[in-house]
Amino acid sequence: MDSHAPPPKIKSKKKRKRSLKEENGSHEPAQGTGSKRVGFSEDYRKPSKHQFGGEEKREGRKYTVSVAIPGSIVSNAQSPELRTYLVGQIARALTIFEVDEIVVFSEDGAKKSLEGEFQGNTRRADPNVFMARVLQYLETPQYLRKDLFPMHPDLKYAGLLNPLDAPHHVRIDTKSAYREGVVVNRPTKPGAGVWVNIGLRQCALVGHNIPVKTRVTVKLPPQAVDPRGRMPKTLKGSAVAPSKPRTEAGIYWGYSTRLASGLGGVIQNCPYKGGYDLTIGTSERGVDAAKADFELPKFRHLLLVFGGLGGLEDAIEGDESLREADPSALFTLYINSCTHQGSRTIRTEEALPITLSLLRPHILRN
């Protein structure tokens, strides 16, 4: 190289950006190609009209996805703040991948309940109850939490968590055919029903006899959903099953939380009619789910089970109601979602989004 050669000319940032755009083409979709980004407007902080089942109609979804995890994974965190944040990360993953049910099970097979005396937000407290309570709190829309959740030490640091921002967490100025509400103590005429706080500036009158402080899913009339329509003076709605937004409009409507006594209680106490018709266990000893020939059979109710620090083997040993010694014999499929891993161990909160993202295309094709 000639040392006397002049140094190469460097383009300015503006010219370099312009040349790259001319070389690679504009990043904007060409008109008439049908390539349109839906879900968010140009300002990513503002949901567009297409998000959460707006003007873009979706087909109803009949199948359900359930996830079961041991509450013992919370005990591995070093402080109450970290334990709470761990549950918050799990709740975010469940919502992002549209999980309909989360089952928190005890690896020793003991029965758990959200009722009873609080034992303190320490490692000696029951991790299963702690996880279930925080999961329930995060899934509940913000305007309902004050009525449904009294002050509790388990929720001391829940305010630090990132919100789920799920479709059923409807904002006050958003038009939605469905809303979550709570029955308020407000007098009505005999036989008229009850008043329900649904997060709007006015309560909705629901024509059912429902106890006060009961959470209910309300379907609103068309004029309350039409952006050009005016809200009626007396807003009337009807109480529907929480699954209606999913089955009729294809809108994800949050997850339900269930406590189970052992791995056997997860499968045997299924809330769906007919039980889970497809059960999947996760383990490093399972088949590679990333292979091209891997497929999920058709299902109505899918259950995906994760183990704790000792894997599903420890969960089976601790549950005396199970006769199986090999975990693979308990499930329809036994999979490994992350082969050739760079770490010796994959934590349950890490395996959850890895597995759900891997199975997501198969689930959507169901």
Side-chain angles (χ1 to χ4, degrees):
M1 181 176 179
D2 188 0
S3 59
H4 298 285
K9 294 182 179 180
I10 300 177
K11 297 180 180 180
S12 65
K13 290 185 178 180
K14 290 184 178 179
K15 290 183 178 180
R16 190 161 55 211
K17 288 183 178 179
R18 191 181 299 115
S19 62
L20 286 173
K21 191 172 182 179
E22 292 172 356
E23 181 180 348
N24 299 328
S26 173
H27 293 286
E28 297 297 327
Q31 294 183 357
T33 60
S35 177
K36 186 177 182 180
R37 184 176 180 180
V38 298
F40 290 92
S41 57
E42 293 180 0
D43 184 355
Y44 69 91
R45 296 166 297 180
K46 299 178 181 178
S48 73
K49 62 184 179 182
H50 299 278
Q51 193 184 13
F52 302 156
E55 292 184 6
E56 185 185 28
K57 293 184 179 181
R58 299 175 60 185
E59 295 182 359
R61 174 168 66 89
K62 304 297 181 183
Y63 66 86
T64 63
V65 178
S66 301
V67 169
I69 54 178
S72 61
I73 65 173
V74 175
S75 302
N76 201 34
Q78 290 78 17
S79 66
E81 295 92 336
L82 290 177
R83 283 190 281 277
T84 305
Y85 189 78
L86 172 61
V87 181
Q89 290 295 94
I90 293 174
R92 286 280 302 172
L94 296 172
T95 305
I96 290 171
F97 292 100
E98 298 186 331
V99 173
D100 303 294
E101 181 197 24
I102 173 67
V103 188
V104 181
F105 65 93
S106 57
E107 292 181 296
D108 56 1
K111 292 184 179 181
K112 307 295 179 181
S113 174
L114 288 176
E115 305 297 331
E117 185 178 354
F118 177 68
Q119 298 178 355
N121 194 358
T122 64
R123 292 189 179 185
R124 292 176 295 178
D126 193 309
N128 304 282
V129 177
F130 173 82
M131 175 181 284
R133 180 174 282 113
V134 177
L135 286 173
Q136 283 185 339
Y137 179 84
L138 289 174
E139 189 275 337
T140 304
Q142 288 87 339
Y143 57 88
L144 301 180
R145 292 173 181 173
K146 185 177 180 180
D147 292 322
L148 298 177
F149 289 89
M151 295 290 290
H152 197 283
D154 278 353
L155 305 174
K156 181 178 180 180
Y157 300 103
L160 303 175
L161 301 179
N162 297 318
L164 300 187
D165 203 19
H168 65 297
H169 291 200
V170 188
R171 294 172 175 84
I172 191 171
D173 56 349
T174 302
K175 300 287 186 178
S176 177
Y178 301 92
R179 279 184 173 269
E180 287 295 290
V182 60
V183 179
V184 296
N185 189 11
R186 179 178 167 184
T188 58
K189 295 180 180 179
V194 293
W195 290 104
V196 180
N197 174 21
I198 56 174
L200 294 175
R201 294 178 179 87
Q202 62 183 109
C203 292
L205 184 62
V206 176
H208 299 274
N209 188 17
I210 307 173
V212 176
K213 288 195 174 182
T214 301
R215 180 174 168 177
V216 59
T217 303
V218 179
K219 185 175 183 180
L220 299 175
Q223 60 267 27
V225 183
D226 187 2
R228 297 165 295 180
R230 296 184 62 181
M231 197 71 71
K233 185 177 181 181
T234 301
L235 182 60
K236 295 184 179 181
S238 57
V240 298
S243 60
K244 282 293 182 180
R246 170 179 57 84
T247 58
E248 291 187 352
I251 306 173
Y252 175 64
W253 210 246
Y255 56 81
S256 61
T257 306
R258 176 165 65 94
L259 280 168
S261 56
L263 199 53
V266 173
I267 301 175
Q268 297 165 6
N269 298 328
C270 174
Y272 304 112
K273 186 178 180 180
Y276 303 110
D277 54 349
L278 177 59
T279 56
I280 302 176
T282 58
S283 171
E284 60 182 6
R285 301 173 184 83
V287 298
D288 187 2
K291 288 186 177 180
D293 58 348
F294 177 80
E295 290 184 357
L296 287 183
K298 292 291 183 180
F299 65 89
R300 286 187 58 84
H301 304 295
L302 165 66
L303 173 65
L304 183 62
V305 184
F306 295 87
L309 295 176
L312 291 174
E313 291 79 6
D314 282 5
I316 286 184
E317 290 181 6
D319 194 340
E320 298 180 355
S321 64
L322 297 176
R323 298 180 180 178
E324 293 83 355
D326 183 8
S328 61
L330 193 63
F331 304 100
T332 310
L333 297 175
Y334 201 56
I335 66 170
N336 182 358
S337 58
C338 188
T339 58
H340 310 293
Q341 61 197 51
S343 176
R344 293 185 182 90
T345 57
I346 296 180
R347 302 168 70 94
T348 305
E349 63 270 22
E350 297 167 343
L352 181 64
I354 292 173
T355 307
L356 288 173
S357 60
L358 181 64
L359 298 180
R360 178 76 167 172
H362 302 279
I363 294 174
L364 293 177
R365 285 196 296 266
N366 182 62

